[in-house]
Amino acid sequence: LCCGGLGGGRVRVRLRPRRGAAGRLGLSGCGFGVLLGLDQWPALALAAAFLVGAVSGAEVDIGAFFIARSFPIRRYSAIFGAMHGIGWLGNAAGVIGVGIIHDSYGSYAPAQGAALIAVLVGTGLIAAVRLRAFATTGQGAPVRDIPAVAQ
């Protein structure tokens, strides 16, 4: 998680943030696709699991970045807290749902297919996000974070 988080942060800084975030989610989608169709080959399944795991935890970083760029700083903690709480509810529902799907169908394939679709939809939504451009202080800090300038 640590290497993925640091690497993902570097990707977001080096590329445009939307592209970096969408690219990471796209890699995860590729991993789900490989697991769905080619999981009988252990080496390929391991590589696919690595791709799926490359985005693990990144949703928090990506969400924090987009929230910071999209909403006033005074509202950041409330919006981030709501996003994080809803995310944990989604995690719990997903774990329970995957268990129910496996018990019902005897396979993880339907859950993997649903995950693949969800990741692809999420990738498209992130790619569609438009971030505001902020003026900087010359040292890289957004002007809106300077107490004398912030509203």
Side-chain angles (χ1 to χ4, degrees), residues 47-75:
F50 177 80
L51 289 175
V52 170
V55 79
S56 181
E59 69 280 357
V60 176
D61 300 338
I62 293 167
F65 180 83
F66 285 126
I67 289 168
R69 290 292 303 269
S70 301
F71 297 97
I73 199 70
R74 291 183 308 273
R75 304 284 183 231

Side-chain angles (χ1 to χ4, degrees), residues 60-128:
V60 176
D61 300 338
I62 293 167
F65 180 83
F66 285 126
I67 289 168
R69 290 292 303 269
S70 301
F71 297 97
I73 199 70
R74 291 183 308 273
R75 304 284 183 231
Y76 177 84
S77 62
I79 296 168
F80 179 79
M83 180 210 69
H84 201 65
I86 291 168
W88 277 107
L89 290 174
N91 285 338
V95 168
I96 293 167
V98 167
I100 291 170
I101 288 171
H102 183 271
D103 290 348
S104 298
Y105 295 99
S107 170
Y108 289 109
Q112 288 173 324
L116 175 60
I117 291 168
V119 168
L120 293 176
V121 168
T123 300
L125 291 173
I126 285 180

Side-chain angles (χ1 to χ4, degrees), residues 2-19:
C2 183
C3 291
L6 291 174
R10 181 146 175 90
V11 166
R12 271 193 316 281
V13 169
R14 303 287 275 163
L15 300 174
R16 293 180 188 261
R18 288 181 308 124
R19 289 182 189 164

Side-chain angles (χ1 to χ4, degrees), residues 4 9 17 22 34 37 42 44 58 62 80 116 122 143 151:
V34 169
L44 203 52
I62 293 167
F80 179 79
L116 175 60
V143 170
Q151 298 177 4

